[in-house]
Amino acid sequence: MKKLVQTLKNIWNIEELRSKIIVTLLLILTYRFGTHVVLPGIDPLALDAIKANNKSEGLLGLFDAFAGGAFSQASILALGIMPYISASIFMQLMTILVPQLQKVQKEGESGRKKINLYTRYVTVAVTVFQAIGYIAYLRSQNGAAIIDDSFLWRLSVIVVLTTGTLFVMWLGEKITDKGIGNGTSLI
């Protein structure tokens, strides 16, 4: 136990490592804060009453666990990092199947940047489709918590969820660049 305490003191005494730890913790704290911000047009009190009666189990419960509880809380970060991970897997498969993408990938650093850009575009498309599905879920499970179920509300929720996913992607990239570890994995 003494060695552990001494090792932690030594780690904390290294300025660069300490700043990376602090940045990582602040960015994760920012993500956790965002998981508690409820989508516009959702009554949080009615949502809490509905959640008290229904427990998420099965696949939705698993997805909620991966999203840090944001899925069941109708959070602006409800979709989390999952659309980006799905898009990354899709792009990895496409670079194997599509010869043009294989050529781009073999271009070195510039090719990697192009593939990352394509992955972000695919992430937006995946997020829009998942946001539409999430709205359907909200309407079926938490319909009483929706204040105004109009087309404009649905459109705004799609925009907010897409923006939330892009924000989570950005947080993950910042953790990777300025913090400790792979930000996407940590989130």
Side-chain angles (χ1 to χ4, degrees), residues 25-41:
L25 291 175
L26 286 175
L27 292 173
I28 290 174
L29 186 65
T30 302
Y31 171 74
R32 289 303 303 155
F33 175 76
T35 61
H36 295 286
V37 178
V38 179
L39 285 166

Side-chain angles (χ1 to χ4, degrees), residues 40-114:
I42 301 285
D43 180 7
L45 298 175
L47 186 65
D48 286 341
I50 293 169
K51 280 191 329 186
N53 295 331
N54 299 337
K55 299 289 182 201
S56 292
E57 294 178 0
L59 187 58
L60 291 177
L62 182 63
F63 189 76
D64 190 41
F66 280 124
F71 191 79
S72 65
Q73 295 176 10
S75 162
I76 59 173
L77 304 180
L79 298 180
I81 197 77
M82 297 301 282
Y84 176 68
I85 293 171
S86 299
S88 295
I89 293 168
F90 176 79
M91 285 306 296
Q92 286 176 357
L93 293 174
M94 287 295 106
T95 56
I96 294 170
L97 298 174
V98 178
Q100 292 86 353
L101 289 176
Q102 286 177 354
K103 289 178 187 175
V104 170
Q105 189 177 31
K106 291 179 183 176
E107 292 176 6
E109 184 64 25
S110 66
R112 192 179 64 77
K113 286 182 179 181
K114 285 180 187 176

Side-chain angles (χ1 to χ4, degrees), residues 102-162:
Q102 286 177 354
K103 289 178 187 175
V104 170
Q105 189 177 31
K106 291 179 183 176
E107 292 176 6
E109 184 64 25
S110 66
R112 192 179 64 77
K113 286 182 179 181
K114 285 180 187 176
I115 296 292
N116 280 342
L117 182 65
Y118 298 155
T119 303
R120 290 181 179 142
Y121 289 143
V122 172
T123 299
V124 170
V126 169
T127 304
V128 168
F129 283 113
Q130 286 188 1
I132 292 168
Y134 187 67
I135 290 169
Y137 167 77
L138 285 175
R139 292 174 74 202
S140 69
Q141 298 294 316
N142 304 317
I146 298 172
I147 295 170
D148 178 27
D149 190 5
S150 64
F151 173 77
L152 191 58
W153 173 77
R154 286 180 243 146
L155 183 63
S156 69
V157 169
I158 291 170
V159 170
V160 168
L161 288 173
T162 302

